[in-house]
Amino acid sequence: MIRVAMLSFWHVHAKDYAKQINEHPDTEIVAIWDEIAERGRGEAEARGVRFYDSLDELLAQPDIDAVVVDTPSSMHRDVMVKAANAGKHIFTEKVLALTLREANEIVEAVNRSGVKLTVSLPRLNDGYTLAIQEVLREGLLGELTLVRARLSHGGAIANWLPAHFYNPEQTGGGALVDLGCHPMYLTRLFLGLPESVTANYGYVTGKEVDDNAVAVLRYPGGAIGIVEAGFVNKFSPFSLELHGTEGSLLYSTHDNQIVLRTSKLGEEAAKSWSVKQQPSNRASAIQQWVGHIQNGTTAEENIGLALDLTKLMEASNLSVQRNQPVLLSELAR
């Protein structure tokens, strides 16, 4: 049995992860710490587990094997470096950190200690992502020239997001750094790392952080990635578009279908759109994390994409601050 401590319930997904830990046959929650003691104490009492006022004291406990980190994003570097140095395996909500320098410090601490790290990048495991990767491996789109990925909801206009999600010091940003993470790491998965990023943020509801955002990723060969996110769209479906020199692929949650049109399958196939079947989802990020702990393996692809995600988010924020494109090569490691 892997004994897990929950480190904060700041993030809206913290209770979801706690539920997954409780439901997994090989894990159990044994302790809680929270930067807001009252919130953490309440969660501990409700779950019948120990609460620690001190993070250092919790991490010193020999009967805690692993931690789930859901603190404010601004605390990720300090909390995870401490956890790694204490020999605790780490599962964390995205983003890994707010800057590439901090993210690299986390990974370096993890590598030194030999603990297992997994970052929650859930859409990597969804059937539509796996199907799209198969299409790309088969070369059915030719050379990719444009990827557009959009994810948005109405949380800022319906007021169901917690108030601290609009705190720029804690979050490092709004719609792009929260929701936009998902289309960003998918665009990175499909197109690779760009040469530069240009971002624009909108403030429809007047919050301190962006609630309407777009980032444009530019590639040396002329390809473009477009990442869109928002907190101000009531019915906007999650959508993906991939366009290449030989075909196009579209996916949207309005019908949950992947449609493909390509000249690579002959003249008849090129005349109309066909539906691409989707495989079952892969194991969840939590399940993969547990597997890495049990099998002594490393989440290499997950960690690599998490580092690149931090790099792309940092570049997006810098682009808005400077009002100009930011070269990824400029970022401090």
Side-chain angles (χ1 to χ4, degrees), residues 81-317:
V81 168
K82 280 188 173 185
N85 289 342
K88 311 303 184 187
H89 303 294
I90 303 168
F91 181 87
T92 182
E93 176 60 69
K94 47 73 181 161
V95 288
L96 179 58
L98 297 183
T99 66
L100 179 60
R101 184 188 297 276
E102 289 180 334
N104 281 328
E105 289 173 351
I106 293 168
V107 173
E108 287 165 6
V110 164
N111 291 339
R112 280 197 309 270
S113 66
V115 299
K116 302 306 176 183
L117 169 68
T118 301
V119 183
S120 183
L121 307 176
R123 292 170 192 262
L124 295 178
N125 307 313
D126 288 342
Y128 54 80
T129 301
L130 304 179
I132 292 170
Q133 288 182 283
E134 181 183 0
V135 167
L136 295 179
R137 282 194 298 269
E138 293 174 353
L140 297 182
L141 303 185
E143 180 185 351
L144 273 184
T145 55
L146 187 140
V147 171
R148 174 180 172 265
R150 175 173 180 78
L151 182 60
S152 184
H153 61 54
I157 52 178
N159 294 316
W160 55 258
L161 280 173
H164 57 249
F165 262 48
Y166 306 118
N167 181 313
E169 287 75 28
Q170 293 183 26
T171 60
L176 193 71
V177 79
D178 179 49
L179 276 187
C181 277
H182 301 292
M184 186 71 86
Y185 65 69
L186 289 175
T187 301
R188 156 65 186 90
L189 180 71
F190 302 144
L191 270 177
L193 272 176
E195 180 180 61
S196 69
V197 176
T198 305
N200 282 282
Y201 295 166
Y203 301 84
V204 176
T205 59
K207 309 293 187 186
E208 287 189 81
V209 298
D210 56 289
D211 55 21
N212 203 23
V214 62
V216 177
L217 284 54
R218 189 182 66 198
Y219 292 79
I224 293 173
I226 303 169
V227 174
E228 302 171 7
F231 292 158
V232 290
N233 305 108
K234 195 169 187 178
F235 300 120
S236 178
F238 169 60
S239 59
L240 294 168
E241 297 180 22
L242 286 81
H243 303 282
T245 54
E246 300 288 347
S248 290
L249 179 151
L250 310 175
Y251 171 78
S252 171
T253 52
H254 89 276
D255 62 4
N256 290 307
Q257 285 193 329
I258 294 175
V259 293
L260 171 68
R261 189 170 178 179
T262 174
S263 60
K264 297 287 280 187
L265 297 176
E267 290 184 14
E268 277 305 306
K271 292 179 181 178
S272 61
W273 294 89
S274 62
V275 175
K276 170 73 175 175
Q277 294 303 307
Q278 302 174 47
S280 300
N281 293 351
R282 288 193 302 201
S284 72
I286 286 276
Q287 291 171 322
Q288 292 179 30
W289 177 53
V290 172
H292 289 305
I293 295 171
Q294 293 173 327
N295 300 319
T297 51
T298 300
E300 292 183 8
E301 180 188 43
N302 173 275
I303 294 170
L305 287 169
L307 284 170
D308 288 347
L309 174 61
T310 292
K311 185 183 300 186
L312 291 165
M313 287 299 171
E314 183 180 6
S316 297
N317 284 337

Side-chain angles (χ1 to χ4, degrees), residues 4 7 22 27 29-31 36 51 59 64 77 102 114 119 134 147 150 173 180 194 204 219 254 268 293 304 314 322:
V4 179
L7 303 187
N22 283 332
T27 55
I29 297 172
V30 297
I36 298 179
F51 174 74
L59 293 174
I64 294 174
R77 184 268 173 205
E102 289 180 334
V119 183
E134 181 183 0
V147 171
R150 175 173 180 78
V204 176
Y219 292 79
H254 89 276
E268 277 305 306
I293 295 171
E314 183 180 6
R322 299 173 183 175

Side-chain angles (χ1 to χ4, degrees), residues 34-47:
D34 199 303
E35 75 279 1
I36 298 179
E38 182 180 1
R39 179 175 61 199
R41 192 172 286 110
E43 289 288 344
E45 290 174 358
R47 298 169 189 277

